[in-house]
Amino acid sequence: MMKLIDSHCHLYLDNFDLEQDALIREAKDSGIVALLMPNIDLSSAERMHELCDRYPDYAYPMMGLHPTSVAADYAATLRRIESFLNSRSYCAIGEIGIDLYWDKTYLKEQKIVFEEQLKWSIDLDLPVAIHTREAFPEVLDSIYKVGAERLSGVFHSFCGTAEELEEIKKLPRFKTGINGVITFKNAKLADVLRSGTDMQHILLETDAPYLAPVPYRGKRNTPIYIWKTAEKVAETFGLSVEETVEAATRNTAALFRLKKQGNSEVPFM
Ligand SMILES: [Zn+2]
């Protein structure tokens, strides 16, 4: 049976209340061996911890402040987010980044918050899950400012240009996170990936409940739909689904340093 990790989903959000256990059972039955969960802000942290505590060795939390949750009171919020890092373990700092699509009011604050969290990731030796929307140059600028050689992580939900993909590949310890967007009809993403990268650099994710792949586009996304994305990525690179899934799982387990399970040399395989 193929084994796959959903490297980015928000199964703790209230869209999933009451269905969490059923969805996790479904995910396990389909061959999904781990779910990585990025935090959003103070309002989501408790829900995320509660779910991850019920599924240790399956649901792995990240901790961070999402750029769209950055406001004037960012300093106090950031201190509270930071306090979580001392109280339990996380597989990454995330999700963090810069988002200028919805609102540019707090660009300066978003940059401060992003760079502070990048520094945490270096101090704690954790990878980062980066969210960037209409802000790729700004995000890149912060990465180089804080230390491109010392940072590792993933550009989650990548749907950028060939030039942006080229910039990510220059960062030695960064991967590209691909989700349902690659299945969208008008998306150029498959072409960008085919000509610009290979499976060594790719992680698979859902970003559930958002961005459900075709044929579920527009509906609530759930982890099992990751298989639709895996099929499309396999087709994009001319690989079998097995080869694609194996590479994605290997890349994800290595980046987030997920613990080995059983006797396998490679985690989750
Ligand atoms: Zn997300």
Side-chain angles (χ1 to χ4, degrees), residues 70-266:
V70 171
D73 62 351
Y74 74 89
T77 308
L78 209 49
R79 292 287 80 80
R80 290 187 59 197
I81 294 282
E82 187 179 20
S83 72
F84 285 117
L85 295 167
N86 304 317
S87 64
R88 58 178 298 159
S89 67
Y90 297 94
C91 69
I93 303 292
E95 60 184 284
I96 63 174
I98 301 176
D99 188 319
L100 302 180
Y101 176 78
W102 296 106
D103 192 354
K104 295 185 174 68
T105 313
Y106 294 113
L107 169 59
K108 198 181 100 216
E109 290 82 356
Q110 284 194 42
K111 267 191 102 77
I112 294 168
V113 168
F114 180 45
E115 289 171 15
E116 170 89 24
Q117 294 183 100
L118 288 176
K119 287 175 197 154
W120 295 351
S121 89
I122 292 174
D123 292 344
L124 295 167
D125 194 20
L126 287 172
V128 293
I130 292 182
H131 168 109
T132 168
R133 198 161 181 202
E134 313 241 317
F136 192 84
E138 289 82 357
V139 161
L140 207 58
D141 181 62
S142 290
I143 287 174
Y144 279 103
K145 195 169 145 196
V146 174
E149 299 291 324
R150 290 188 297 162
L151 292 162
S152 67
V154 56
F155 282 77
H156 123 78
S157 194
F158 179 77
C159 46
T161 62
E163 292 71 29
E164 290 172 355
L165 188 60
E166 214 38 58
E167 291 299 333
I168 295 174
K169 280 173 63 190
K170 287 181 197 160
L171 300 168
R173 301 166 69 204
F174 274 84
K175 304 283 182 195
T176 303
I178 300 300
N179 58 33
V181 171
I182 194 172
T183 68
F184 295 178
K185 247 206 166 66
N186 49 4
K188 305 248 187 299
L189 183 55
D191 298 330
V192 169
L193 294 178
R194 191 183 299 112
S195 53
T197 190
D198 57 56
M199 270 315 293
Q200 298 300 109
H201 298 95
I202 303 283
L203 307 187
L204 298 180
E205 60 170 56
T206 58
D207 204 17
Y210 316 108
L211 300 171
V214 172
Y216 312 107
R217 188 174 181 181
K219 299 204 173 80
R220 184 189 69 173
N221 198 3
T222 85
I224 54 163
Y225 295 166
I226 198 172
W227 295 101
K228 289 285 166 204
T229 298
E231 286 168 18
K232 180 67 185 182
V233 169
E235 180 196 310
T236 298
F237 290 117
L239 299 169
S240 67
V241 177
E242 284 83 356
E243 289 166 326
T244 303
V245 164
E246 191 189 319
T249 300
R250 197 181 288 273
N251 295 343
T252 305
L255 177 64
F256 294 95
R257 280 177 263 154
L258 302 177
K259 281 178 300 188
K260 289 179 189 179
Q261 286 187 332
N263 298 319
S264 171
E265 270 305 302
V266 180

